[in-house]
Structures are given as C-alpha cells and as structure tokens.
Amino acid sequence: MKPFLKKIGIFFIVLLLGFAITLISTKILVANWFDFSISKEKNILILGDSHTQCALNDTIISNALNMSESADTYFYSYTKLKNIIPSNKQIDTLILGYAPNNLSVTQDNWLVDSSINGFKLPLHFFLFDKNDTTEFLSNAPFQLVQNVPFIIKNNLGHLYRIKKKEKINHFGIGGFLALSHVDTTQEKKEIVDENVHKEVKFGSKDIVYLQKIYSLCEKNKIKLILLDTPIEQKLHAEPSVFYNKYLEFKNSNLPNATLLDYSKIPFDKKDFADKDHLNANGARLFSLWFVKQLYN
C-alpha cells in the first residue's frame, strides 16, 4: 500500500511541477515576444471599464487607441499602462474612466471576484510583473491556482496571435466595443429613487492603483484626463456626500489630472444600449463631439 501511495504522491508532484514550468515558460515567452508598439500617429491611450470601452470609438478619434475592457479595475488598467508606455513614447495623453462607482467599495470587491478574475486573469496574466503577481496573490491566492490551466491555454493562444502578428487590441485585453442594441426598458410610472451615489461606501484598495496610474503619468509627462461618460437621464442625481468625496479625492490625490464629467450630457434613449452604456450610434455621436472638445 505504501509504495502505491508513494507513486501517487510522486505523480501529483510531477504534475504540479509540469503545470508550474509550463505556466512560467509560456508567460515569459508571451511577455518577451508581445509587440506593445502602436501606430506612431496615436498619441492618446484610452483605459477604463465598459463605460469608456463602449463610449469612445477610436476609429473616429483617429489619434487614439481604446484599450478599455469590461470590468477593468484600476489594477488591470495599471498593468496595461506600464507595459504599453515603454514602447510608445509618442503617447502624451491618457484618458481614464473615472466615475463615482470606480471609487466605491464595489470596485474593491471586483479585485477578488472569482467570476471577473475568471475571465480577466487568464488573458492578462502575461502583463503581470513580480509585484503585480504578489499583490494579486495577497488579494485572491486561490483564484490564481484555480486558473492556472486557463492561463496556460490563453498564453498559448497569445503566442499563436503573436505569430500571426495580430494587433494589440485583438488579444482580449481591451478594445472599443460597439453595442448594437437599444435600451428598450420601460420608464416606471412611479418615481423611484435611482440615486447611484446613495449610501455607497468609499473604497480603499483599488484606488491605490489609480494613484499608481497617476504617478506613472506624472513620471512620463503624460497628461491624465479623467472621464465620466454619459448615462441616461433617469440616473442623474443631485450631488451627494459620496459624489463630493469623489471630487475631493481627485483634487487631493490627483491634482494635475483633468476631470471631464460628461455624465449628464443629454442623449436620446435610443443612443443607449442600457441605462449607463452608449450603443454604437451613441458612441459615434459622443466620439464626434468629444474630439471637438479635446481640441477647442
């Protein structure tokens, strides 16, 4: 019985070593072979979650590259930014999604959300340096272990795309998303309090990476524009305690950044895919308008 158990133990040790070696080797290959360079004509980088991903069409803003991705925390935006900057010295402006919800405790919860990390971690792991890996392990150690097979699978997929010389926004780590549908939800007859800032707790973990993004921009002389994109009128709320904290945080911790709160710009309901995401036509209209604001 003991020899059998010994063989089983050796088998699992070899299996784990095999996974570890494959994980590390494929990560190193992707990180070393990945081409982060973008067109020299593109001096604006766009990062953030689904709001900037769906609002800013970088075929209209021709000198910009939108690398926003759904459910991106500032942690994931930071890992992308510090990998993209060294190969693209022409980048002088970063447009970063910055809405009140991005500073809430909900965003902290996303750092350890297994469903979010389940699809983001395998795609983004090759971007992690030693510090990123350590910080991720401190937040969600078991999620890294659970996702090892999927990380390896995606690393192999990345290597295939690298061989095909795919563009940076074809790797699943960000890119403009045109939503084709239209918000068809019916307005409620009764007045319902939909104050998105009500009784929201301020976060403490993910904003650390927002400050790291700010520091990286300052170090590289990159202008940081904080953007809050349009939402449906029914979500517009009077300034709240949380909203005031949102403004205070920017003024105290990100003093050289420019805040553009365009959340209350009036758009027709038909230009929204849902209550807080523009659809393709809404993104077209907003992007055309936004370009004019940038250069006026």
Side-chain angles (χ1 to χ4, degrees), residues 20-162:
I21 292 170
T22 306
L23 174 69
I24 295 169
S25 60
T26 55
K27 180 187 184 303
I28 291 173
L29 288 174
V30 176
N32 288 338
W33 292 352
F34 195 95
D35 184 7
F36 289 98
S37 60
I38 62 177
S39 170
K40 298 301 179 184
E41 297 176 353
K42 294 184 180 293
N43 65 301
I44 298 175
L45 179 64
I46 303 167
L47 293 174
D49 56 20
S50 57
H51 295 99
T52 47
Q53 182 185 26
C54 299
L56 295 175
N57 186 335
D58 53 8
T59 62
I60 293 173
I61 312 171
S62 58
N63 62 326
L65 176 69
N66 193 339
M67 287 298 293
S68 306
E69 177 65 20
S70 175
D72 260 8
T73 55
Y74 288 124
F75 171 77
Y76 283 108
S77 293
Y78 175 63
T79 61
K80 283 188 273 194
L81 180 64
K82 65 180 178 179
N83 278 282
I84 291 173
I85 284 178
S87 300
N88 298 281
K89 299 300 182 182
Q90 80 277 15
I91 292 177
D92 57 21
T93 303
L94 171 65
I95 298 172
L96 182 67
Y98 183 77
N101 65 281
N102 293 128
L103 303 188
S104 72
V105 71
T106 299
Q107 192 106 337
D108 287 352
N109 294 336
W110 283 8
L111 290 172
V112 295
D113 188 286
S114 58
S115 60
I116 290 175
N117 285 325
F119 81 87
K120 299 192 78 66
L121 178 62
L123 289 164
H124 292 75
F125 186 68
F126 78 97
L127 297 169
F128 290 14
D129 60 20
K130 183 179 179 181
N131 289 333
D132 299 328
T133 304
T134 300
E135 290 174 14
F136 187 92
L137 284 170
S138 69
N139 289 320
F142 295 110
Q143 290 181 30
L144 180 55
V145 175
Q146 291 170 350
N147 282 287
V148 165
F150 304 106
I151 294 172
I152 293 172
K153 178 183 176 181
N154 278 276
N155 282 347
L156 294 173
H158 287 333
L159 289 172
Y160 174 72
R161 284 183 284 273
I162 289 170

